[in-house]
Amino acid sequence: MDFDEFREFGHASIEFIINYLSGIRERDVLPSVAPYTVINQLPKEIPEKPEHWREVLKDLESIILPGLTHWQSPYFNAFYPSSSSAGSIVGELLIAGIGVLGFSWICSPACTELEVVVMDWLAKFLKLPEHFQHASDGPGGGVIQGSASEAVLVAVLAAREQAVISCKETHPELSESEVRGKLIAYSSDQSNSCIEKAGVLAAMPIKLLPADDDLILRGNTLRKAIEDDVAAGLIPVICIATLGTTGTCAYDDIDSLADVCQALNVWLHVDAAYAGGGFALEECTELRRGLDRVDSLNFNLHKFMLVNFDCSAMWLKDANKVVDSFNVDRIYLKHKHEGQSQIPDFRHWQIPLGRRFRALKVWITFRTLGAEGLRSHVRKHIALAQQFEAFVRNDSRFEMVAPQALGLVCFRPRGDNEHTAQLLQRLMERKKIYMVKAEHAGRQFLRFAVCGMDAKPSDIEFAWTEIETQLTALLAEKSLAARKPSNVSELTQHFQMHLASDSGTHEKSQ
Ligand code: PLP
């Protein structure tokens, strides 16, 4: 492809993206494809001859798009948002176009230095303690990882290595494998699956401690668990707290956890993958309580800062603890500015060697939206969640399950779990909105997460109308099914309903 053709392809692709995003509300948020639909439409091998890009875009439209779940749709209300914006999309294109890797400063100095700058900008914007900035006097700083999972794993691995070093000093009678066999970590039973996975990958058990009834993990629970484990000869390494749990966006009590961790020399990491966006707001100051006492934290820019996936910020109070744990050198990786303050070699801060120029899309996003735009995005999601909560509270057939937090509302139709599952099933089959269930203390509930690039009050109204009319239909079906038909037209309706539900079952079993 020559540059002229590249230009045409690029322009057409931008048009494609704009058409897709501007028309996203017209699509069902969930696809209607059966398994293998995409596989069966595509050739089994790479085409031998180059194809024209127009053919590729045509197939993207006709084969791939129908098989997509539309994450940027405001009717996508599952999980948490994976946000995007015009600036970050163009940033992603420029990253690919420029195509540099920045694992060491010398590989591409601007790549590292821009990351230092945007991570400090972000630390200030989120009002994080000063020691997390590269520009501070201490050994702290921020780095962009691909995902919260990677950030947590880095913290877990670094804490593990630090614990092994210090334990070998305090217990010289123990061999290294004996020390490693005694290591133990902690989190709450409300934490994201990536925490447990980090434990598996780090070969270190992570105890999922029971959160209190309000779904918050507090220091007293941690202290008791640590004391029991120490008495049993184990070595506590790290506690991973969550600000904004995936289930209900609950906030662990960082202050009381920090009391325990500081007293017992345990690393404290905070996973604020979603809720970190709230740090920026004056009205959410409470959220930041205790952060000055944590060793590391992560926040997904792709969740709340309108930077497209993947982009996960991580800050360390003492980056040397990570660098020293992961430092594996080769002569070809060396350069003469190594170790100079504020020019980190980020390869030591992460799992892979190679690294993307993610700082570029962050920089472009921040500049094109401004701090003002970022704050108003978070505020808008909170306001839309409050709008949704008002709908829930206004309809006595529903109940709230947890307090509305940032852009998340957890609610359920009154009744048993089966009722919640049936409502969700209907909604999923209609594909107009997409939510997922969660469960706590044996009660299933629905999570409504405000998502989308530009969700509006009318989108929330659309979602609510869909939910409540489907509940009305479900209740009507149930009451009809429970009642004995008393006249000819009711009898006909009764049998029609049975036939419809039988054919539904039949279709699914095929
Ligand atoms: N932590 C929390 C609280 C989350 O909600 C999620 C995902 O939604 C994650 C971690 C995992 O994020 P990632 O996909 O970036 O690894």
Side-chain angles (χ1 to χ4, degrees):
M1 191 180 297
D2 62 22
F3 284 123
D4 286 336
E5 209 180 334
F6 177 19
R7 181 174 295 113
E8 259 191 275
F9 186 12
H11 288 172
S13 298
I14 292 283
E15 278 305 315
F16 183 96
I17 294 169
I18 291 169
N19 287 337
Y20 171 72
L21 291 175
S22 61
I24 205 156
R25 286 179 177 81
E26 286 146 36
R27 297 176 187 267
D28 283 347
V29 64
L30 286 162
S32 295
V33 290
Y36 308 112
T37 306
V38 174
I39 293 175
N40 289 338
Q41 290 181 84
L42 295 176
K44 302 280 174 269
E45 279 163 45
I46 301 173
E48 193 57 38
K49 299 272 180 226
E51 296 180 84
H52 197 277
W53 59 264
R54 279 190 211 285
E55 295 303 311
V56 182
L57 279 192
K58 224 161 60 193
D59 287 351
L60 175 57
E61 178 80 55
S62 64
I63 301 175
I64 307 298
L65 285 197
L68 293 183
T69 299
H70 302 290
W71 279 70
Q72 300 311 319
S73 165
Y75 308 142
F76 181 103
N77 306 114
F79 313 111
Y80 276 134
S82 185
S83 62
S84 188
S85 59
S88 88
I89 294 168
V90 174
E92 190 71 63
L93 179 66
L94 292 169
I95 292 168
I98 294 168
V100 298
L101 270 70
F103 44 86
S104 300
W105 177 85
I106 192 69
C107 288
S108 206
C111 184
T112 298
E113 293 191 19
L114 189 60
E115 187 155 333
V116 166
V117 169
V118 295
M119 287 304 292
D120 278 5
W121 278 10
L122 188 57
K124 284 187 203 162
F125 172 73
L126 298 177
K127 303 177 173 56
L128 298 183
E130 212 174 310
H131 56 238
F132 285 123
Q133 290 174 35
H134 291 276
S136 73
D137 289 338
V143 59
I144 305 176
Q145 308 279 4
S147 64
S149 308
E150 283 167 66
V152 168
L153 180 59
V154 165
V156 166
L157 292 173
R160 184 191 70 185
E161 292 315 295
Q162 294 301 308
V164 170
I165 294 167
S166 90
C167 220
K168 274 168 41 188
E169 279 168 17
T170 50
H171 293 282
E173 75 285 4
L174 294 176
S175 69
E176 180 160 334
S177 62
E178 280 171 324
V179 169
R180 288 187 185 275
K182 290 174 186 292
L183 303 178
I184 177 103
Y186 306 88
S187 193
S188 120
D189 59 0
Q190 298 301 305
S191 62
N192 186 265
S193 58
C194 75
I195 311 290
E196 197 176 339
K197 189 170 179 179
V200 173
L201 293 171
M204 178 167 66
I206 297 203
K207 265 195 186 167
L208 298 181
L209 305 174
D212 291 342
D213 288 346
D214 53 6
L215 306 177
I216 294 173
L217 179 67
R218 295 189 169 80
N220 50 359
T221 310
L222 178 66
R223 183 182 296 278
K224 168 89 180 62
I226 292 184
E227 282 171 359
D228 289 352
D229 286 343
V230 170
L234 298 180
I235 303 166
V237 172
I238 181 170
C239 170
I240 302 113
T242 312
L243 284 177
T245 56
T246 312
T248 61
C249 198
Y251 308 130
D252 287 343
D253 181 8
I254 305 304
D255 244 350
S256 68
L257 294 170
D259 287 342
V260 178
C261 290
Q262 282 187 335
L264 301 172
N265 198 22
V266 168
W267 184 302
L268 180 57
H269 178 85
V270 171
D271 172 19
Y274 172 67
F279 298 160
L281 307 183
E282 280 310 330
E283 57 273 34
C284 299
T285 306
E286 259 305 282
L287 253 183
R288 280 184 270 114
R289 204 159 49 86
L291 288 188
D292 51 326
R293 300 164 73 200
V294 312
D295 296 283
S296 51
L297 85 142
N298 65 273
F299 162 51
N300 278 357
L301 275 74
H302 56 253
K303 281 194 164 57
F304 236 151
M305 289 289 103
L306 292 161
V307 179
N308 66 294
F309 189 87
D310 54 354
C311 195
S312 187
M314 178 186 195
W315 287 273
L316 294 145
K317 193 176 195 169
D318 182 353
N320 292 332
K321 291 187 177 165
V322 169
V323 173
D324 294 346
S325 302
F326 298 164
N327 194 338
V328 176
D329 252 324
R330 289 290 182 276
I331 192 152
Y332 48 78
L333 294 171
K334 296 209 157 292
H335 63 90
K336 68 177 183 186
H337 299 293
E338 268 179 345
Q340 222 162 296
S341 132
Q342 289 196 56
I343 53 162
D345 286 335
F346 279 127
R347 70 195 152 94
H348 299 309
W349 300 47
Q350 61 171 20
I351 292 160
L353 172 61
R355 66 194 324 267
R356 281 155 47 65
F357 192 5
R358 293 189 188 96
L360 186 58
K361 63 180 175 179
V362 176
W363 187 55
I364 296 173
T365 306
F366 288 180
R367 290 188 63 182
T368 51
L369 291 168
E372 193 182 85
L374 296 170
R375 274 191 296 267
S376 79
H377 174 71
V378 180
R379 285 200 173 106
K380 184 175 80 172
H381 275 214
I382 296 173
L384 293 176
Q386 287 166 344
Q387 180 193 352
F388 187 88
E389 180 194 7
F391 289 145
V392 175
R393 291 196 188 279
N394 198 36
D395 188 330
S396 59
R397 298 171 304 168
F398 291 91
E399 59 184 329
M400 290 287 287
V401 171
Q404 163 266 331
L406 299 177
L408 183 71
V409 179
C410 297
F411 71 109
R412 69 199 298 277
R414 290 184 198 278
D416 56 17
N417 285 343
E418 177 70 9
H419 196 46
T420 301
Q422 285 167 343
L423 175 59
L424 185 62
Q425 166 89 359
R426 286 183 81 96
L427 294 168
M428 295 287 283
E429 277 167 9
R430 286 172 51 82
K431 307 175 199 307
K432 301 295 173 207
I433 61 168
Y434 179 24
M435 286 185 295
V436 289
K437 292 190 286 195
E439 187 174 331
H440 175 62
R443 279 204 328 163
Q444 291 189 358
F445 57 91
L446 304 175
R447 293 171 74 265
F448 182 87
V450 178
C451 297
M453 282 171 76
D454 69 336
K456 297 178 168 46
S458 53
D459 297 318
I460 304 302
E461 201 178 320
F462 172 90
W464 178 253
T465 306
E466 172 70 2
I467 294 166
E468 69 90 11
T469 51
Q470 288 315 305
L471 182 68
T472 304
L474 177 64
L475 290 171
E477 263 179 25
K478 281 186 167 179
S479 81
L480 202 59
R483 214 150 44 90
K484 270 211 153 86
S486 60
N487 57 39
V488 173
S489 87
E490 275 192 11
L491 260 172
T492 312
Q493 224 179 337
H494 185 81
F495 282 107
Q496 265 169 350
M497 229 176 62
H498 270 287
L499 276 174
S501 66
D502 276 358
S503 73
T505 324
H506 183 61
E507 270 165 30
K508 255 179 248 110
S509 65
Q510 282 184 334

